[in-house]
Amino acid sequence: MRKKKLLYILPVLFLLYIIWLGYHLLWFKTYKTPPPDDAHLEIEGAYHIHTVFSDGRKHPDKIAKIASDASLDFIILTDHGNPNYECLQSQGWKKEVLVLAGSELSVSRGHLVALGFKTPSIPFPQNAERASQKIEALHGFSIIAHPYSKASWSWGKIVCYQGLEIMNGDTILKRNFISSLPFLPALLVKPEFALLKMVDRPYLNLKKWDTINATHSIYGYFSVDAHLIYRPLFSLLRLHVLLRNSLSSDFQTAKNQVTEALRKGSFYNSIDAAAQARGFRFWASKREASILMGRTLLLDSPVMLHIKAQFPFSIEILLIHDGKTILRSTKTGIAFEAKNPGTYRVEIYLKERTPLGKDIPWIISNPIFLQEEKS
């Protein structure tokens, strides 16, 4: 008798599950944003991608095609190596996507991504500090990869690292796979929905980032860390790079434009699968000069911080100073006079219906650093 009841109950439960999941998928949408007036100065891309040249599953040409279909302007390949010469040689314009390459190094403290460097004739040192110094000597910069997952970073003296991964797509998939089992079938229909349900707040990464910025200037990155699932991750985590001039059609010039913008922190991070983030701006003004995010300013005269977030959906803006929230607003434009030295950055949260958790920032800016006038 119990077996017969079970035979009746299971199909009913399965049908209810299908209805429940279908309901969630039907109301899900990615909120759209119209192009800003200065759209030609903002490009979107994905950072930290693996190819067949290390432990990825696709060739750079195929990945470029996927990126093109996802409306990306650039991608950054980071195959494992010391450095990975094949990966570096794959750079160029492919399918109208700017393909840049660096290398993910295995060093004494964990994994370190090297970007923008001149190709060395000998391998990078295995010691993390010496490796970062060698990367800088070759006119490149380094980013600490997935500091609290996989090859976790063993913290020591902060030398010339210039970046820290705040979110990592591969970590999100692996860490939250089991807890997201009810939503996994959505990967076949609306993979962005399933991935958004997996995203959790990067508490440790944000706390460490704010702690480091108390003494050293370092920029935050959303990293796809893609090995197999490329298209959904390209829609999930993006870098929005702000340029001084339109992206050049000449490869070397375009490469320099993107590399220098990343080197100076002229970019912000977003979870674009939830809502298109293009058009967000965070800058400072001082004595009629306008200064992009990522810069360091001397607080010897009034400094105004400006936030522009003119989106056609509900948001909440948080202005964060040295890791503490000092302003909350639902306005689309904010001007704030900064009177104290320290690190200022912005987080924006969606207030619309979304699979993204309410405690998870949709946009994270890079900081503006204010220093006291030396006596």
PDB file of all heavy atoms in Angstrom, residues 242-263:
ATOM      1  N   LEU A 242      36.516  52.186 -18.486  1.00  0.00           N
ATOM      2  CA  LEU A 242      36.257  53.546 -18.937  1.00  0.00           C
ATOM      3  C   LEU A 242      37.510  54.100 -19.613  1.00  0.00           C
ATOM      4  O   LEU A 242      38.591  54.134 -19.014  1.00  0.00           O
ATOM      5  CB  LEU A 242      35.859  54.422 -17.750  1.00  0.00           C
ATOM      6  CG  LEU A 242      34.667  53.890 -16.938  1.00  0.00           C
ATOM      7  CD1 LEU A 242      34.366  54.807 -15.764  1.00  0.00           C
ATOM      8  CD2 LEU A 242      33.434  53.721 -17.813  1.00  0.00           C
ATOM      9  N   LEU A 243      37.362  54.523 -20.860  1.00  0.00           N
ATOM     10  CA  LEU A 243      38.482  54.979 -21.679  1.00  0.00           C
ATOM     11  C   LEU A 243      38.453  56.498 -21.841  1.00  0.00           C
ATOM     12  O   LEU A 243      37.409  57.136 -21.713  1.00  0.00           O
ATOM     13  CB  LEU A 243      38.426  54.321 -23.062  1.00  0.00           C
ATOM     14  CG  LEU A 243      38.382  52.783 -23.094  1.00  0.00           C
ATOM     15  CD1 LEU A 243      38.205  52.311 -24.532  1.00  0.00           C
ATOM     16  CD2 LEU A 243      39.637  52.189 -22.471  1.00  0.00           C
ATOM     17  N   ARG A 244      39.600  57.048 -22.164  1.00  0.00           N
ATOM     18  CA  ARG A 244      39.695  58.473 -22.475  1.00  0.00           C
ATOM     19  C   ARG A 244      39.236  58.751 -23.904  1.00  0.00           C
ATOM     20  O   ARG A 244      38.672  59.800 -24.204  1.00  0.00           O
ATOM     21  CB  ARG A 244      41.143  58.952 -22.294  1.00  0.00           C
ATOM     22  CG  ARG A 244      41.627  58.961 -20.856  1.00  0.00           C
ATOM     23  CD  ARG A 244      40.945  60.058 -20.065  1.00  0.00           C
ATOM     24  NE  ARG A 244      41.520  60.195 -18.725  1.00  0.00           N
ATOM     25  CZ  ARG A 244      41.069  61.058 -17.822  1.00  0.00           C
ATOM     26  NH1 ARG A 244      40.036  61.836 -18.100  1.00  0.00           N
ATOM     27  NH2 ARG A 244      41.618  61.127 -16.637  1.00  0.00           N
ATOM     28  N   ASN A 245      39.507  57.798 -24.802  1.00  0.00           N
ATOM     29  CA  ASN A 245      39.128  57.910 -26.204  1.00  0.00           C
ATOM     30  C   ASN A 245      38.488  56.598 -26.646  1.00  0.00           C
ATOM     31  O   ASN A 245      38.685  55.559 -26.016  1.00  0.00           O
ATOM     32  CB  ASN A 245      40.349  58.212 -27.082  1.00  0.00           C
ATOM     33  CG  ASN A 245      41.037  59.509 -26.692  1.00  0.00           C
ATOM     34  OD1 ASN A 245      40.476  60.585 -26.836  1.00  0.00           O
ATOM     35  ND2 ASN A 245      42.266  59.396 -26.175  1.00  0.00           N
ATOM     36  N   SER A 246      37.759  56.624 -27.740  1.00  0.00           N
ATOM     37  CA  SER A 246      37.122  55.420 -28.260  1.00  0.00           C
ATOM     38  C   SER A 246      38.161  54.333 -28.502  1.00  0.00           C
ATOM     39  O   SER A 246      39.319  54.619 -28.838  1.00  0.00           O
ATOM     40  CB  SER A 246      36.393  55.730 -29.571  1.00  0.00           C
ATOM     41  OG  SER A 246      35.385  56.689 -29.371  1.00  0.00           O
ATOM     42  N   LEU A 247      37.745  53.092 -28.321  1.00  0.00           N
ATOM     43  CA  LEU A 247      38.649  51.965 -28.497  1.00  0.00           C
ATOM     44  C   LEU A 247      39.159  51.930 -29.937  1.00  0.00           C
ATOM     45  O   LEU A 247      38.377  51.937 -30.895  1.00  0.00           O
ATOM     46  CB  LEU A 247      37.933  50.664 -28.161  1.00  0.00           C
ATOM     47  CG  LEU A 247      38.805  49.394 -28.113  1.00  0.00           C
ATOM     48  CD1 LEU A 247      39.826  49.487 -26.988  1.00  0.00           C
ATOM     49  CD2 LEU A 247      37.927  48.159 -27.935  1.00  0.00           C
ATOM     50  N   SER A 248      40.467  51.879 -30.095  1.00  0.00           N
ATOM     51  CA  SER A 248      41.093  51.900 -31.414  1.00  0.00           C
ATOM     52  C   SER A 248      40.874  50.581 -32.148  1.00  0.00           C
ATOM     53  O   SER A 248      40.725  49.524 -31.532  1.00  0.00           O
ATOM     54  CB  SER A 248      42.586  52.175 -31.264  1.00  0.00           C
ATOM     55  OG  SER A 248      43.251  52.076 -32.508  1.00  0.00           O
ATOM     56  N   SER A 249      40.876  50.643 -33.472  1.00  0.00           N
ATOM     57  CA  SER A 249      40.810  49.429 -34.292  1.00  0.00           C
ATOM     58  C   SER A 249      42.184  48.799 -34.459  1.00  0.00           C
ATOM     59  O   SER A 249      42.303  47.641 -34.873  1.00  0.00           O
ATOM     60  CB  SER A 249      40.211  49.739 -35.667  1.00  0.00           C
ATOM     61  OG  SER A 249      40.996  50.719 -36.337  1.00  0.00           O
ATOM     62  N   ASP A 250      43.236  49.548 -34.116  1.00  0.00           N
ATOM     63  CA  ASP A 250      44.599  49.017 -34.158  1.00  0.00           C
ATOM     64  C   ASP A 250      44.843  48.194 -32.898  1.00  0.00           C
ATOM     65  O   ASP A 250      44.641  48.690 -31.778  1.00  0.00           O
ATOM     66  CB  ASP A 250      45.608  50.160 -34.233  1.00  0.00           C
ATOM     67  CG  ASP A 250      47.044  49.676 -34.148  1.00  0.00           C
ATOM     68  OD1 ASP A 250      47.527  49.051 -35.113  1.00  0.00           O
ATOM     69  OD2 ASP A 250      47.671  49.896 -33.081  1.00  0.00           O
ATOM     70  N   PHE A 251      45.272  46.944 -33.068  1.00  0.00           N
ATOM     71  CA  PHE A 251      45.378  46.047 -31.918  1.00  0.00           C
ATOM     72  C   PHE A 251      46.292  46.590 -30.823  1.00  0.00           C
ATOM     73  O   PHE A 251      45.912  46.631 -29.659  1.00  0.00           O
ATOM     74  CB  PHE A 251      45.863  44.657 -32.335  1.00  0.00           C
ATOM     75  CG  PHE A 251      46.224  43.796 -31.148  1.00  0.00           C
ATOM     76  CD1 PHE A 251      45.239  43.312 -30.306  1.00  0.00           C
ATOM     77  CD2 PHE A 251      47.556  43.517 -30.841  1.00  0.00           C
ATOM     78  CE1 PHE A 251      45.561  42.552 -29.183  1.00  0.00           C
ATOM     79  CE2 PHE A 251      47.882  42.758 -29.730  1.00  0.00           C
ATOM     80  CZ  PHE A 251      46.877  42.275 -28.900  1.00  0.00           C
ATOM     81  N   GLN A 252      47.497  46.980 -31.170  1.00  0.00           N
ATOM     82  CA  GLN A 252      48.459  47.416 -30.152  1.00  0.00           C
ATOM     83  C   GLN A 252      47.955  48.642 -29.401  1.00  0.00           C
ATOM     84  O   GLN A 252      48.090  48.738 -28.176  1.00  0.00           O
ATOM     85  CB  GLN A 252      49.823  47.705 -30.780  1.00  0.00           C
ATOM     86  CG  GLN A 252      50.948  47.849 -29.758  1.00  0.00           C
ATOM     87  CD  GLN A 252      51.131  46.625 -28.871  1.00  0.00           C
ATOM     88  OE1 GLN A 252      51.216  45.502 -29.362  1.00  0.00           O
ATOM     89  NE2 GLN A 252      51.178  46.828 -27.562  1.00  0.00           N
ATOM     90  N   THR A 253      47.342  49.568 -30.138  1.00  0.00           N
ATOM     91  CA  THR A 253      46.799  50.764 -29.490  1.00  0.00           C
ATOM     92  C   THR A 253      45.653  50.390 -28.557  1.00  0.00           C
ATOM     93  O   THR A 253      45.576  50.869 -27.418  1.00  0.00           O
ATOM     94  CB  THR A 253      46.303  51.770 -30.540  1.00  0.00           C
ATOM     95  OG1 THR A 253      47.377  52.100 -31.424  1.00  0.00           O
ATOM     96  CG2 THR A 253      45.791  53.039 -29.881  1.00  0.00           C
ATOM     97  N   ALA A 254      44.761  49.531 -29.030  1.00  0.00           N
ATOM     98  CA  ALA A 254      43.626  49.095 -28.207  1.00  0.00           C
ATOM     99  C   ALA A 254      44.110  48.339 -26.968  1.00  0.00           C
ATOM    100  O   ALA A 254      43.583  48.525 -25.861  1.00  0.00           O
ATOM    101  CB  ALA A 254      42.686  48.218 -29.028  1.00  0.00           C
ATOM    102  N   LYS A 255      45.104  47.498 -27.148  1.00  0.00           N
ATOM    103  CA  LYS A 255      45.676  46.759 -26.013  1.00  0.00           C
ATOM    104  C   LYS A 255      46.213  47.725 -24.964  1.00  0.00           C
ATOM    105  O   LYS A 255      45.964  47.552 -23.761  1.00  0.00           O
ATOM    106  CB  LYS A 255      46.801  45.846 -26.502  1.00  0.00           C
ATOM    107  CG  LYS A 255      47.511  45.084 -25.395  1.00  0.00           C
ATOM    108  CD  LYS A 255      48.653  44.242 -25.945  1.00  0.00           C
ATOM    109  CE  LYS A 255      49.409  43.549 -24.821  1.00  0.00           C
ATOM    110  NZ  LYS A 255      50.544  42.737 -25.332  1.00  0.00           N
ATOM    111  N   ASN A 256      46.935  48.743 -25.409  1.00  0.00           N
ATOM    112  CA  ASN A 256      47.475  49.735 -24.475  1.00  0.00           C
ATOM    113  C   ASN A 256      46.365  50.498 -23.768  1.00  0.00           C
ATOM    114  O   ASN A 256      46.469  50.795 -22.567  1.00  0.00           O
ATOM    115  CB  ASN A 256      48.394  50.705 -25.216  1.00  0.00           C
ATOM    116  CG  ASN A 256      49.681  50.042 -25.699  1.00  0.00           C
ATOM    117  OD1 ASN A 256      50.076  48.996 -25.198  1.00  0.00           O
ATOM    118  ND2 ASN A 256      50.319  50.643 -26.681  1.00  0.00           N
ATOM    119  N   GLN A 257      45.286  50.821 -24.482  1.00  0.00           N
ATOM    120  CA  GLN A 257      44.169  51.541 -23.878  1.00  0.00           C
ATOM    121  C   GLN A 257      43.558  50.741 -22.729  1.00  0.00           C
ATOM    122  O   GLN A 257      43.348  51.275 -21.626  1.00  0.00           O
ATOM    123  CB  GLN A 257      43.085  51.818 -24.931  1.00  0.00           C
ATOM    124  CG  GLN A 257      43.401  52.922 -25.916  1.00  0.00           C
ATOM    125  CD  GLN A 257      42.268  53.094 -26.912  1.00  0.00           C
ATOM    126  OE1 GLN A 257      42.150  52.334 -27.879  1.00  0.00           O
ATOM    127  NE2 GLN A 257      41.421  54.078 -26.677  1.00  0.00           N
ATOM    128  N   VAL A 258      43.270  49.473 -22.970  1.00  0.00           N
ATOM    129  CA  VAL A 258      42.622  48.646 -21.951  1.00  0.00           C
ATOM    130  C   VAL A 258      43.585  48.358 -20.800  1.00  0.00           C
ATOM    131  O   VAL A 258      43.224  48.464 -19.619  1.00  0.00           O
ATOM    132  CB  VAL A 258      42.096  47.335 -22.560  1.00  0.00           C
ATOM    133  CG1 VAL A 258      41.523  46.424 -21.478  1.00  0.00           C
ATOM    134  CG2 VAL A 258      41.040  47.626 -23.617  1.00  0.00           C
ATOM    135  N   THR A 259      44.825  48.031 -21.140  1.00  0.00           N
ATOM    136  CA  THR A 259      45.810  47.711 -20.109  1.00  0.00           C
ATOM    137  C   THR A 259      46.038  48.889 -19.180  1.00  0.00           C
ATOM    138  O   THR A 259      46.099  48.731 -17.950  1.00  0.00           O
ATOM    139  CB  THR A 259      47.139  47.283 -20.759  1.00  0.00           C
ATOM    140  OG1 THR A 259      46.923  46.129 -21.580  1.00  0.00           O
ATOM    141  CG2 THR A 259      48.168  46.941 -19.691  1.00  0.00           C
ATOM    142  N   GLU A 260      46.159  50.086 -19.740  1.00  0.00           N
ATOM    143  CA  GLU A 260      46.416  51.264 -18.912  1.00  0.00           C
ATOM    144  C   GLU A 260      45.203  51.609 -18.054  1.00  0.00           C
ATOM    145  O   GLU A 260      45.354  52.053 -16.911  1.00  0.00           O
ATOM    146  CB  GLU A 260      46.816  52.450 -19.789  1.00  0.00           C
ATOM    147  CG  GLU A 260      48.223  52.341 -20.347  1.00  0.00           C
ATOM    148  CD  GLU A 260      49.258  52.038 -19.270  1.00  0.00           C
ATOM    149  OE1 GLU A 260      49.357  52.835 -18.299  1.00  0.00           O
ATOM    150  OE2 GLU A 260      49.938  51.003 -19.360  1.00  0.00           O
ATOM    151  N   ALA A 261      43.995  51.421 -18.587  1.00  0.00           N
ATOM    152  CA  ALA A 261      42.799  51.682 -17.791  1.00  0.00           C
ATOM    153  C   ALA A 261      42.721  50.723 -16.607  1.00  0.00           C
ATOM    154  O   ALA A 261      42.392  51.130 -15.479  1.00  0.00           O
ATOM    155  CB  ALA A 261      41.555  51.557 -18.667  1.00  0.00           C
ATOM    156  N   LEU A 262      43.040  49.450 -16.831  1.00  0.00           N
ATOM    157  CA  LEU A 262      43.052  48.482 -15.732  1.00  0.00           C
ATOM    158  C   LEU A 262      44.160  48.809 -14.736  1.00  0.00           C
ATOM    159  O   LEU A 262      43.961  48.725 -13.519  1.00  0.00           O
ATOM    160  CB  LEU A 262      43.251  47.068 -16.281  1.00  0.00           C
ATOM    161  CG  LEU A 262      42.132  46.500 -17.163  1.00  0.00           C
ATOM    162  CD1 LEU A 262      42.522  45.127 -17.702  1.00  0.00           C
ATOM    163  CD2 LEU A 262      40.817  46.405 -16.397  1.00  0.00           C
ATOM    164  N   ARG A 263      45.316  49.187 -15.253  1.00  0.00           N
ATOM    165  CA  ARG A 263      46.453  49.506 -14.383  1.00  0.00           C
ATOM    166  C   ARG A 263      46.125  50.672 -13.449  1.00  0.00           C
ATOM    167  O   ARG A 263      46.597  50.737 -12.318  1.00  0.00           O
ATOM    168  CB  ARG A 263      47.666  49.857 -15.251  1.00  0.00           C
ATOM    169  CG  ARG A 263      48.986  49.952 -14.487  1.00  0.00           C
ATOM    170  CD  ARG A 263      50.061  50.589 -15.358  1.00  0.00           C
ATOM    171  NE  ARG A 263      50.183  49.934 -16.648  1.00  0.00           N
ATOM    172  CZ  ARG A 263      50.945  48.868 -16.875  1.00  0.00           C
ATOM    173  NH1 ARG A 263      51.641  48.343 -15.885  1.00  0.00           N
ATOM    174  NH2 ARG A 263      51.013  48.339 -18.089  1.00  0.00           N
TER     175      ARG A 263
END
